[in-house]
Amino acid sequence: MKALIAPLPVGAQLAVVAPAGPPREGVLAQVPGLVHQLGFRAKLYPGCHGPAHLGHLAANDAQRLADLHDALDDPEVAALLALRGGYGCIRLLLGLDLERVRRAGKPLIGYSDLTTLHGVWARCGVPAWHGPMPASDWAQPGGLADASRLAQWLQRGLWVGDEQQAPAPHALSHGQQADGILLGGNLSVLASNLGTVAQPELRGAILFLEDISEDPYRVDRYLTQLLLAGVLDGVAGFLLGSFSEADNADAVMAERLHPLGKPVLAGWPAGHGQPNHALPLGLPVQMDVPSRTLRW
């Protein structure tokens, strides 16, 4: 079998970087122990320690960008682990060295605001993991189970023929099969990335979408924006994760997505809710709606 994402050995060093928001008080001190508990070593980069900038950024842009570049260049770092989401990744695009991303070829682990950097990784041809982050998920009730699943995937790697399956049928699911590169992430962030280097090439892709605290009219707005921008026309199919802590938006998504005539697999266990299973991005996948399966 061929490894699509190489396994990380037990004890591999993860660069913990903070390209977006600052951690809550008292959480950062727990992170190295949590990483060690899952079988890895943590190297916390300076931006994780602040000082916070403008109240909503972990550190100033220069520091957060330097951390990303240093982690990519460090030969002892096997993968980059985002401390948390929030906001801030899009501010780094003006200075981000895409050649460094390509040359390093290191997976980036995270979700939410990390959708911006996942788009960059995809443009550079480097796979990534949409998965839980230590400061926002691992230490929360029930979060360690998701972190353990992530660690198992990291240590096992991803191989041709691997499968993941949604736990139950969902009323939004529609159609049969689709093949394409799995891309996407947070819907609102994806919409904000339009016209930037973080906008992935979605022609022929399986587009994964999830969000939090976005009521139906806002989900409608983002999907309509993507539709009007023409980026949904060539999508091969849609994979829908959790849309949590908001009124149910299923009717909006059905009205916007079903008329496109593309397969839709909904109820995928990934996003801001629990469970939040690790999902590899940037690689070709076959999506089978009737069996609720992804196959690499």
Side-chain angles (χ1 to χ4, degrees):
M1 290 192 300
K2 178 184 178 183
L4 300 172
I5 302 180
L8 300 186
V10 174
Q13 184 163 268
L14 303 183
V16 181
V17 291
R24 293 188 301 277
E25 186 174 353
V27 173
L28 186 61
Q30 303 176 48
V31 171
L34 289 170
V35 173
H36 178 76
Q37 185 177 341
L38 295 176
F40 302 104
R41 293 178 295 125
K43 181 175 181 179
L44 269 63
Y45 278 73
C48 296
H49 301 280
H53 183 63
L54 300 178
H56 58 267
L57 301 169
N60 63 47
D61 292 348
Q63 181 64 67
R64 296 182 354 268
L65 183 61
D67 289 352
L68 277 182
H69 286 161
D70 290 348
L72 289 167
D73 293 344
D74 189 339
E76 294 186 2
V77 166
L80 280 65
L81 173 63
L83 183 65
R84 59 153 295 189
Y87 167 76
C89 292
I90 199 168
R91 293 174 59 114
L92 304 183
L93 296 184
L94 284 173
L96 184 60
D97 185 345
L98 272 62
E99 183 53 39
R100 267 186 165 122
V101 176
R102 293 189 187 96
R103 184 172 62 245
K106 297 176 183 179
L108 170 67
I109 306 157
Y111 74 109
S112 193
D113 196 60
L114 275 296
T115 296
T116 294
L117 295 183
H118 284 163
V120 173
W121 259 239
R123 281 198 169 233
C124 293
V126 182
W129 288 98
H130 181 284
M133 299 172 288
S136 55
D137 303 279
W138 295 13
Q140 300 303 310
L144 198 55
D146 287 334
S148 296
R149 291 188 192 94
L150 168 64
Q152 289 168 9
W153 277 109
L154 294 177
Q155 291 171 5
R156 182 186 182 280
L158 185 76
W159 300 80
V160 172
D162 280 349
E163 294 185 355
Q164 293 184 6
Q165 186 177 46
H170 193 285
L172 269 177
S173 293
H174 174 83
Q176 296 298 314
Q177 287 187 346
D179 297 270
I181 296 176
L182 184 60
L183 298 170
N186 185 264
L187 172 59
S188 56
V189 175
L190 192 70
S192 74
N193 290 337
L194 288 174
T196 74
V197 69
Q199 179 183 338
E201 174 52 68
L202 295 179
R203 190 177 298 109
I206 305 295
L207 180 57
F208 170 67
L209 300 172
E210 64 82 32
D211 221 315
I212 182 173
S213 300
E214 300 288 0
D215 285 331
Y217 81 95
R218 295 174 67 90
V219 172
D220 190 345
R221 174 186 292 154
Y222 301 135
L223 289 175
T224 302
Q225 182 181 3
L226 294 174
L227 189 66
L228 292 172
V231 299
L232 300 187
D233 296 342
V235 170
F238 297 92
L239 181 69
L240 303 181
S242 62
F243 283 75
S244 53
E245 299 184 26
D247 291 340
N248 188 290
D250 285 0
V252 165
M253 289 190 280
E255 185 175 280
R256 276 284 168 252
L257 300 182
H258 287 177
L260 298 175
K262 313 294 176 64
V264 176
L265 176 54
W268 197 261
H272 283 77
Q274 289 183 351
N276 182 14
H277 292 183
L279 184 64
L281 299 176
L283 293 166
V285 68
Q286 180 182 80
M287 182 178 78
D288 186 84
V289 177
S291 67
R292 309 187 307 280
T293 301
L294 297 178
R295 183 178 298 109
W296 282 269

